[in-house]
Amino acid sequence: MGASEVLFLDSDTVVLSSVEFGFEKARKFGIAIAPAPTYLLDEYRDTSSVLRAEGIQRAGQLLLNSGVVFFKPSAQVQEVFRLWLALCEKYSHALKGDQEALTIAMEVLDFNPYILSKSYNLRGIFEPVIGTTR
């Protein structure tokens, strides 16, 4: 792991295995993040109203899970994080959490993170994974 990459974790997250691959992908792509594979962005809670307001097409986009975010600080990543915060504040009445806002920020900015397997943020019960859980 290089000194310039950061791993943000939810407080209830436990690291069980090597996560070096996440750092490698953050170095290359700016952000490496796992999906929330059960959810679609445009059908998650009241997110479709926010998508409309931001001029984003409802197209079954994958919702990203903000509980495990590897990133390499850069101007582009800072722009994603600034917009993430602004969207959380602007739509606090409609969004139930921050995951939707992070995903929308990347949509608005055409930012393509590296998508890690769900083994990097396995949520447990009723969410099977084959192989090593990170």
Side-chain angles (χ1 to χ4, degrees), residues 2-17:
S4 64
E5 292 81 40
V6 178
L7 172 55
F8 169 84
L9 295 172
D10 273 349
S11 62
D12 63 349
T13 303
V14 177
V15 177
L16 299 174
S17 187

Side-chain angles (χ1 to χ4, degrees), residues 41-57:
L41 177 63
D42 60 342
E43 296 181 20
Y44 188 72
R45 297 182 176 157
D46 193 28
T47 305
S48 62
S49 66
V50 176
L51 293 176
R52 272 192 306 279
E54 291 298 316
I56 298 171
Q57 176 184 1

Side-chain angles (χ1 to χ4, degrees), residues 24-134:
E24 290 174 21
K25 293 305 179 180
R27 278 192 288 277
K28 184 173 181 178
F29 291 88
I31 295 175
I33 189 169
T38 309
Y39 306 106
L40 299 177
L41 177 63
D42 60 342
E43 296 181 20
Y44 188 72
R45 297 182 176 157
D46 193 28
T47 305
S48 62
S49 66
V50 176
L51 293 176
R52 272 192 306 279
E54 291 298 316
I56 298 171
Q57 176 184 1
R58 292 185 59 195
Q61 295 96 326
L62 181 67
L63 181 63
L64 300 174
N65 191 313
S66 61
V68 176
V69 181
F70 296 85
F71 66 94
K72 180 177 180 176
S74 69
Q76 193 177 27
V77 169
Q78 286 178 352
E79 187 177 2
V80 169
F81 289 172
R82 272 191 222 101
L83 183 55
W84 180 16
L85 176 60
L87 291 169
C88 283
E89 291 172 346
K90 182 176 180 180
Y91 297 108
S92 63
H93 65 283
L95 300 177
K96 304 297 185 226
D98 65 324
Q99 292 185 151
E100 310 96 284
L102 176 57
T103 307
I104 292 168
M106 291 188 201
E107 285 281 326
V108 167
L109 297 171
D110 289 326
F111 185 91
N112 284 319
Y114 183 84
I115 304 299
L116 297 162
S117 74
K118 72 177 183 177
S119 73
Y120 280 83
N121 197 352
L122 190 65
R123 297 176 60 149
I125 195 164
F126 304 120
E127 194 172 330
V129 66
I130 296 171
T132 304
T133 299
R134 306 280 187 245

